[in-house]
Amino acid sequence: MSPRSASVNEELRRRSKERLLQAAVELVGERGYEATTLGDIADRAGSARGLVSYYFPGKRQLVQSAVHRLMHRTLEEALEREPRASEGCERLARAIDAILGLARDRPVLMRQHMAGLLQAEVGFVPCPEQRRLAELLRDTMARHGSQDVDRDYPMLRAQLMGAVFAALVPGVPMPVPELRAELFEHYRLDWKLGVPPDAEAPGGTTCDPDLSRFFETGAPEQPDRTARLDRTDPAGETDPADRTDPAAQSK
């Protein structure tokens, strides 16, 4: 069999990484962070376990990137849904509702994400997924009329993180509608903007258990062959024993 081209190898690597991100979001949302191992994630993704450490330094970084992907794609979907919102107040309302909606609809996942950000050994890890989320929120503030985005974007981020945290505190969670009301009052937004709690959610804003639209795993034309090729290392060489890394089984 002739060697695969560089473009084919690159596409296989991209799909493998996307599947790992999706698997991480699904499993942590189902089981929690501690009950999910890197081996579990690799198995759900259908990838060789040794590949996980090639893409991510550890489980916390993988999960953080995966949740940031879910966040930025959820936000992007809310901002761009029809009818398109060019007016700044509507876009900011949609942004607030999208992030609060994740806390409401995916509490296990978002609680684990917030806890991870507070871990001193890892903390906040910048990644391409987080940068895209930041770009969307910065653009939202600019369209809302901010005269100093460098000041106002971090404040919006802090307020959203604080609201998510307040909604997820075990035992004493604050109701999402109350948190929404506080944020809407702060930014002088009409309650009817975005997706009010008592309104019917438009398409793309409900808690859809199928997250595949947020992860570009592709649809292989030859499933059997692709499944076999997925069990390769990043250089495209066959991984005869899956090169199972003991660290990949760790928590």
Side-chain angles (χ1 to χ4, degrees):
M1 183 175 65
S2 60
R4 298 193 302 272
S5 68
S7 62
V8 170
N9 283 332
E10 181 62 28
E11 176 64 11
L12 288 173
R13 286 192 291 268
R14 185 192 66 78
R15 291 185 183 181
S16 291
K17 186 175 181 180
E18 291 286 312
R19 283 194 291 271
L20 289 170
L21 290 169
Q22 181 176 343
V25 163
E26 292 174 349
L27 285 171
V28 173
E30 294 168 10
R31 307 176 183 178
Y33 180 82
E34 296 299 333
T36 301
T37 68
L38 287 175
D40 294 333
I41 294 171
D43 289 345
R44 172 70 67 92
S47 297
R49 298 179 186 182
L51 290 180
V52 181
S53 59
Y54 174 79
Y55 295 117
F56 303 97
K59 186 173 72 168
R60 183 64 71 185
Q61 290 87 344
L62 166 56
V63 172
Q64 206 173 117
S65 291
V67 177
H68 280 139
R69 163 66 69 85
L70 176 63
M71 292 176 72
H72 94 63
R73 286 291 178 86
T74 298
L75 177 58
E76 188 174 57
E77 190 173 74
L79 294 175
E80 300 305 320
R81 72 169 183 266
E82 297 295 340
R84 297 285 291 274
S86 57
E87 200 268 332
C89 288
E90 171 64 19
R91 291 182 69 84
L92 181 55
R94 290 187 184 189
I96 292 171
D97 284 336
I99 301 303
L100 289 181
L102 286 171
R104 179 194 63 228
D105 298 335
R106 306 187 190 278
V108 174
L109 181 67
M110 295 303 293
R111 187 178 294 117
Q112 299 295 328
H113 177 61
M114 296 300 293
L117 295 178
L118 297 175
Q119 292 288 326
E121 65 271 19
V122 178
F124 179 79
V125 180
C127 66
E129 309 302 337
Q130 182 275 328
R131 285 192 287 272
R132 180 56 181 152
L133 176 63
E135 289 169 1
L136 289 170
L137 289 175
R138 286 178 63 88
D139 178 69
T140 296
M141 288 308 301
R143 296 195 191 200
H144 187 249
S146 170
Q147 300 301 307
D148 188 349
V149 176
D150 289 335
R151 178 198 64 194
D152 294 337
Y153 154 67
M155 183 58 66
L156 173 64
R157 180 184 64 195
Q159 289 172 324
L160 289 173
M161 290 177 67
V164 169
F165 181 84
L168 297 175
V169 176
V172 288
M174 286 191 66
V176 167
E178 291 185 17
L179 295 166
R180 181 185 194 266
E182 288 291 328
L183 288 170
F184 271 48
E185 181 179 357
H186 177 81
Y187 287 106
R188 300 180 181 178
L189 302 174
D190 190 299
W191 182 260
K192 296 179 181 179
L193 297 176
V195 186
D198 57 350
E200 181 178 353
T205 63
T206 56
C207 186
D208 188 346
D210 182 7
L211 300 176
S212 61
R213 69 185 186 281
F214 296 130
F215 300 92
E216 300 169 1
T217 57
E221 295 181 0
Q222 299 177 346
D224 293 338
R225 181 172 181 271
T226 300
R228 177 167 54 84
L229 293 180
D230 271 350
R231 309 185 76 79
T232 62
D233 69 12
E237 298 175 356
T238 301
D239 187 354
D242 290 343
R243 294 186 185 175
T244 304
D245 183 352
Q249 295 282 3
S250 68
K251 297 182 181 181

